[in-house]
Amino acid sequence: MSEPQAQAVDTGIERPAPLPFSIAFDPRDEEELLGLWRDILRSNRWSDGVHTRAFEAAWADETGLEAVAFNNWAGGALAALDFIGVTGETVLSPSNTFLATPRSAQWSGASVIFYDCNREDLCGSFADFVETAERHRPKAAWIVHVGGHIAFDIEKIAAYCRDKGIWLIEDCAHAHGARWNGRAAGSFGDAGIYSFYPTKTISTGEGGMLVTANPELARHARSFRDYGRGSGYRIEGMNHRIDEFTAAMGVVQTRRLKDIVSWKRAYARDTLDPAYPNRLRLPDGMESGFYKYIVFDPIEGGAGKVYELPCHRIMKHPVELPNTDWVAANHWCVPIHYPRASS
Ligand SMILES: Cc1ncc(COP(=O)(O)O)c(C=O)c1O
């Protein structure tokens, strides 16, 4: 893989000062959150209570799907893969993603096969997905919505998977608030998993949410996160429950999501787009949640890359993924953090 030439390009266009990193939490929500935490503290219900239900209801509302809360993305991913039954099977994964994506399949006892991405959107390529699926006959596949928009090839990949009986799981860790022609991330495949890790568009410290239109998958996930309770312990789950303090924060944060994403969209449109002509371009009908703002020129004071090193290189898979290597070498992120002082 060639090394990136990380020299800032002088376009002659004046650029805004880079925003400092901040976790997206609006100070206007502090009193309400502290009040909720006080109520929980004084209650006798610190797990699996009304705040967990409310957090799930908020994500059902956000995505139009059934929602099951977890203590992190990994719990939701393992629950979905367990429902599908991937042990001893093949699972496709993009390589331009966080190691969590292929690792979840590996941890579930599957063989991971990587497929390439597109240069335009950094997400899974339909052409390479089909070629890889024809060769390896996977039972399931991951697609990752990298950077905050929905993968441009999602509809074609989802249609192909439906036709071939391949389960498709969407890694929505970056895609809070994203829509394509009105549809939320997680609604194209069989399930989607969101993360609420501190760098994410909204955070609860740790936390995850599985969304699905499949009631059996949702039922399985609820049991899986609780050692298989409710299934006569037939489902061999572990503890991936979310606690009530985290869930309450999730309710408050989800209510603020629209403001945060609107702010990011306006900042991208009004401040960053004029300064970065060589940027990732969104197709018609796509509303990115702008987890990241991606450009294809080296920049000074940037927020690095979405991923520096592709997963097939970390996991030492001897596979040629030219677009994935190209993306790793040729994209950069301009900071787009929701400012704390916005109250
Ligand atoms: C694409 C992607 N998938 C999965 C994860 C894992 O999420 P969590 O840390 O909540 O398990 C992350 C980041 O944290 C991610 O960026």
Side-chain angles (χ1 to χ4, degrees):
M1 181 174 61
S2 59
E3 285 300 311
Q5 299 299 304
Q7 275 181 3
V9 171
D10 183 6
T11 58
I13 303 170
E14 201 170 317
R15 288 177 165 169
L19 293 170
F21 172 74
S22 63
I23 291 176
F25 182 77
D26 196 307
R28 287 174 292 182
D29 295 328
E30 203 170 294
E31 284 312 310
E32 183 194 0
L33 180 60
L34 292 174
L36 289 173
W37 280 348
R38 203 173 305 111
D39 293 345
I40 298 166
L41 203 57
R42 291 171 184 173
S43 79
N44 279 319
R45 196 82 193 227
W46 286 15
S47 183
D48 197 22
V50 291
H51 299 284
T52 301
R53 304 291 159 266
F55 189 22
E56 291 175 337
W59 274 83
D61 197 43
E62 165 61 23
T63 58
L65 300 161
E66 186 166 354
V68 184
F70 282 82
N71 59 344
N72 51 37
W73 177 96
L78 294 177
L81 290 162
D82 188 67
F83 174 76
I84 294 165
V86 300
T87 307
E89 304 280 350
T90 295
V91 173
L92 301 194
S93 171
S95 174
N96 180 44
T97 180
F98 183 47
L99 196 62
T101 321
R103 182 54 59 76
S104 66
Q106 186 190 33
W107 194 254
S108 302
S111 301
V112 176
I113 300 287
F114 289 109
Y115 65 100
D116 210 355
C117 66
N118 300 310
R119 296 183 181 198
E120 295 74 23
D121 66 343
L122 284 67
C123 302
S125 144
F126 174 62
D128 202 55
F129 187 98
V130 171
E131 209 183 301
T132 312
E134 299 290 324
R135 217 170 333 121
H136 294 280
R137 307 276 164 198
K139 183 162 188 187
W142 277 110
I143 180 132
V144 185
H145 303 301
V146 179
H149 50 273
I150 291 172
F152 294 0
D153 286 349
I154 185 71
E155 285 188 338
K156 285 188 283 183
I157 290 177
Y160 175 82
C161 286
R162 271 194 303 276
D163 187 43
K164 300 289 179 187
I166 300 167
W167 293 85
L168 181 63
I169 323 173
E170 298 171 56
D171 184 335
C172 306
H174 299 182
H176 310 68
R179 294 279 184 284
W180 199 359
N181 296 324
R183 286 178 70 178
S187 68
F188 297 87
D190 294 288
I193 327 286
Y194 287 83
S195 165
F196 302 104
Y197 183 71
T199 56
K200 303 300 184 242
T201 308
I202 58 167
S203 177
T204 56
E206 298 287 353
M209 191 69 73
L210 178 151
V211 295
T212 181
N214 181 334
E216 282 174 36
L217 198 159
R219 207 173 312 122
H220 188 98
R222 281 184 206 291
S223 176
F224 183 91
R225 74 176 171 191
D226 198 12
Y227 293 114
R229 257 197 204 109
S231 73
Y233 297 102
R234 184 185 50 79
I235 294 168
E236 295 177 358
M238 292 293 286
N239 178 6
H240 287 288
R241 295 182 301 256
I242 190 168
D243 65 79
E244 284 286 276
F245 298 95
T246 305
M249 188 171 198
V251 172
V252 170
Q253 288 283 64
T254 306
R255 207 177 298 136
R256 190 58 69 191
L257 176 62
K258 279 195 175 51
D259 288 346
I260 291 172
V261 170
S262 301
W263 180 89
K264 286 181 166 227
R265 284 186 187 140
Y267 184 70
R269 185 188 60 233
D270 301 338
T271 306
L272 299 182
D273 286 359
Y276 295 97
N278 193 15
R279 62 181 180 273
L280 189 150
R281 303 271 172 169
L282 299 171
D284 285 348
M286 178 76 77
E287 297 171 274
S288 176
F290 283 106
Y291 172 57
K292 301 280 185 184
Y293 187 92
I294 295 161
V295 299
F296 298 108
D297 287 328
I299 49 165
E300 266 166 31
K305 301 197 178 212
V306 188
Y307 302 109
E308 292 274 349
L309 195 58
C311 291
H312 74 287
R313 299 211 170 265
I314 297 172
M315 291 171 74
K316 300 191 176 15
H317 281 216
V319 57
E320 291 294 318
L321 301 175
N323 286 349
T324 299
D325 285 338
W326 184 90
V327 159
N330 290 289
H331 86 281
W332 286 266
C333 298
V334 181
I336 187 163
H337 309 296
Y338 185 66
R340 279 222 158 190
S342 67
S343 58

